[in-house]
Amino acid sequence: MKTYLVTGAAGFIGANFIKYMLAKYPEIKIVVLDLLTYAGNLGTIAGDIDNERCIFVKGDICDRELADELFAKYKFDYVVNFAAESHVDRSIENPQLFLQTNILGTQNLLDAARRAWVTGKDENGYPTWIEGVRFHQVSTDEVYGSLGETGYFHETTPLDPRSPYSASKTSADLFVQAYSETYKMPVTITRCSNNYGPYHFPEKLIPLIIKNILEGKQLPVYGDGTNVRDWLYVEDHCKAIDCVLHRGRTGEVYNVGGHNEKQNIEIVKLTIQTIRQLMTEQPAYRLMLKKQVMDANGEIAIDWINDDLIIFVKDRLGHDQRYAIDPTKISTELGWTPETPFEKGIVKTIRWYLENQDWVAEIAGGDYMKYYEQMYSNR
Ligand code: NAD
Ligand code: TYD
């Protein structure tokens, strides 16, 4: 039975990853290490934790003693490091926390893995490693910086981070690569584009727009809304990590993306349209609206759910203009291709939010409201 340490799995992508892995591989054990920051929610994975195949440990990836203890106790074959501060806007407010978690936390895990996995030295003085172990770092396309109107991020594109978030993720990647070169540590890195799907914290664009529509609030679009992101359904990202972790070449970076570039304004308009469409097809969804005004047919009105809700607000500082991934390497080497077209993925995602408002209420409590007021009142 292979044992995985998965950090940050009470968050968006990590939670989707462990659900996917537990369903796909009956014979694995997963230990989740998560600090349960504002972005982590134990409720998201409560149904997965059975203390046999899936064990939860609340703790900090920066905690050396805890990391050593876990490696000694569970003898991990794999580490998949999702744990991070992940929101660019928050990194602009508090860069140091990003440095702490994303850089020092990753380096702490690398060291714990080194202490646990090294078996001796080869004739050149390089450490030798337990057969088959691997440290996988979950990274982002934001490490490459920002593109103009054309071109793609390739694995060879120079690293050029521009926000405190992307600077911290880049630095973590460099440490992972340094451990690969210096100690011959078996590592892989994936750099993925923007994810969307279930369990996405509503500070990020798509879930925030859905939440605001349901609450009858304005929809804040930064700047002129022409910034481009390359959107990938979260399960496709999980599949890519599974591929790279098990079949990727050690020491390599793989870009992950689905050639699905969209301007932010397009995403917002599409979300508005999709919610209206779903509420037309299935009027019961209208009960999810906070604002319940009756229309002429005696049904909860939805005609106000339109583009007039959009409000252009002050731009993000240093806002990257465009991200776009070239996924040729992972496709040709490992046969990975995205399976969920955006048109289907966005409907699935919105339907999930409409049907899981309890989850949103649980995760977006008082702290979220405080954050929202602070972040958006001065825009
Ligand atoms: P998230 O913010 O939803 O979740 C992060 C999780 O990490 C939370 O459960 C949180 O409690 C936990 N965490 C934070 N600090 C911790 C610490 N010190 N110790 C232990 N746990 C801690 O993030 P996400 O969107 O799921 O992103 C996961 C990873 O994927 C991140 O490394 C991020 O950089 C990367 N990534 C995200 C995207 C995206 O679109 N969301 C795209 C590419 C890469
Ligand atoms: P976000 O979801 O924060 O992801 P990232 O910054 O990692 O790409 O933002 C996606 C895009 O949407 C980004 O260009 C910023 C923009 N945005 C808005 O226009 N309004 C919002 O309220 C948010 C949260 C983001």
Side-chain angles (χ1 to χ4, degrees):
M1 177 186 267
K2 297 286 185 194
T3 306
Y4 295 67
L5 173 64
V6 183
T7 69
F12 167 45
I13 308 172
N16 279 284
F17 179 73
I18 67 160
K19 288 174 194 298
Y20 170 77
M21 294 293 281
L22 289 167
K24 179 168 177 191
Y25 300 104
E27 292 288 306
I28 63 170
K29 178 183 265 191
I30 292 180
V31 177
V32 172
L33 173 62
D34 197 299
L35 189 58
L36 298 181
T37 66
Y38 77 92
N41 177 17
L42 198 49
T44 304
I45 53 168
D48 304 293
I49 301 164
D50 60 4
N51 296 322
E52 281 184 20
R53 293 180 67 221
C54 186
I55 293 158
F56 179 78
V57 179
K58 179 172 190 277
D60 193 335
I61 57 166
C62 300
D63 184 337
R64 176 186 165 124
E65 225 173 282
L66 175 63
D68 281 345
E69 210 181 281
L70 294 177
F71 271 90
K73 185 167 176 189
Y74 295 109
K75 311 263 181 285
F76 299 121
D77 299 287
Y78 303 107
V79 175
V80 186
N81 184 29
F82 288 96
E85 287 293 334
S86 69
H87 191 34
V88 174
D89 290 329
R90 288 188 193 247
S91 83
I92 295 167
E93 297 301 307
N94 183 4
Q96 200 167 31
L97 177 60
F98 284 67
L99 189 152
Q100 175 76 25
T101 300
N102 299 0
I103 308 177
L104 297 181
T106 301
Q107 192 271 335
N108 185 52
L109 292 174
L110 287 165
D111 260 357
R114 191 159 69 95
R115 284 191 292 273
W117 286 347
V118 168
T119 53
K121 274 186 190 165
D122 69 12
E123 63 282 8
N124 299 314
Y126 285 109
T128 51
W129 297 80
I130 293 175
E131 189 63 35
V133 293
R134 181 165 287 188
F135 187 103
H136 183 79
Q137 176 69 0
V138 181
S139 187
T140 162
D141 60 355
E142 302 192 27
V143 300
Y144 297 119
S146 181
L147 290 164
E149 278 180 17
T150 58
Y152 293 98
F153 294 137
H154 311 280
E155 286 81 359
T156 50
T157 300
L159 301 178
D160 184 23
R162 283 134 184 274
S163 73
Y165 164 68
S166 54
S168 69
K169 291 296 289 184
T170 307
S171 188
D173 281 13
L174 293 177
F175 269 97
V176 174
Q177 289 178 319
Y179 274 58
S180 168
E181 287 298 324
T182 309
Y183 308 115
K184 302 287 173 228
M185 185 168 181
V187 304
T188 37
I189 297 174
T190 41
R191 295 189 179 136
C192 189
S193 58
N194 285 60
N195 286 210
Y196 68 100
Y199 304 110
H200 205 180
F201 191 79
E203 66 185 350
K204 306 283 169 62
L205 181 66
I206 292 178
L208 184 135
I209 294 302
I210 300 171
K211 184 172 187 296
N212 279 17
I213 292 175
L214 296 183
E215 291 177 0
K217 288 187 182 156
Q218 289 184 309
L219 311 178
V221 172
Y222 298 169
D224 62 4
T226 61
N227 303 69
V228 171
R229 297 293 180 264
D230 186 354
W231 296 92
L232 184 72
Y233 191 64
V234 64
E235 198 175 65
D236 282 324
H237 184 193
C238 298
K239 288 179 183 169
I241 294 171
D242 179 22
C243 271
V244 172
L245 181 65
H246 295 114
R247 295 191 287 114
R249 285 181 293 137
T250 178
E252 293 289 314
V253 172
Y254 293 85
N255 283 353
V256 183
H259 280 306
N260 185 54
E261 291 174 44
K262 298 236 181 295
Q263 291 191 342
N264 294 337
I265 190 71
E266 288 178 71
I267 290 285
V268 174
K269 289 185 174 174
L270 197 66
T271 306
I272 295 170
Q273 277 167 29
T274 309
I275 290 188
R276 258 185 89 143
Q277 182 197 322
L278 287 172
M279 288 187 169
T280 305
E281 288 165 9
Q282 223 164 311
Y285 283 145
R286 300 182 190 197
L287 293 169
M288 298 300 146
L289 293 168
K290 282 231 171 90
K291 177 176 159 183
Q292 297 194 355
V293 189
M294 295 302 159
D295 64 17
N297 302 323
E299 291 210 89
I300 297 166
I302 53 169
D303 55 337
W304 58 271
I305 304 177
N306 61 43
D307 293 355
D308 292 345
L309 289 172
I310 295 171
I311 171 173
F312 291 93
V313 299
K314 207 166 99 208
D315 208 355
R316 174 184 279 171
L317 301 179
H319 196 175
D320 288 341
Q321 182 57 36
R322 175 172 166 258
Y323 303 147
I325 279 276
D326 172 11
T328 305
K329 182 174 172 180
I330 189 170
S331 303
T332 52
E333 269 187 33
L334 304 177
W336 175 88
T337 45
E339 289 166 28
T340 306
F342 188 75
E343 297 65 34
K344 279 207 174 133
I346 193 73
V347 174
K348 252 165 106 166
T349 302
I350 293 174
R351 211 184 270 284
W352 185 88
Y353 277 91
L354 289 171
E355 291 172 5
N356 289 275
Q357 280 300 296
D358 291 354
W359 180 88
V360 177
E362 196 178 320
I363 196 159
D367 281 352
Y368 175 86
M369 290 313 297
K370 225 161 70 194
Y371 163 83
Y372 192 87
E373 291 306 322
Q374 259 169 21
M375 196 59 83
Y376 290 88
S377 62
N378 52 10
R379 278 191 187 274

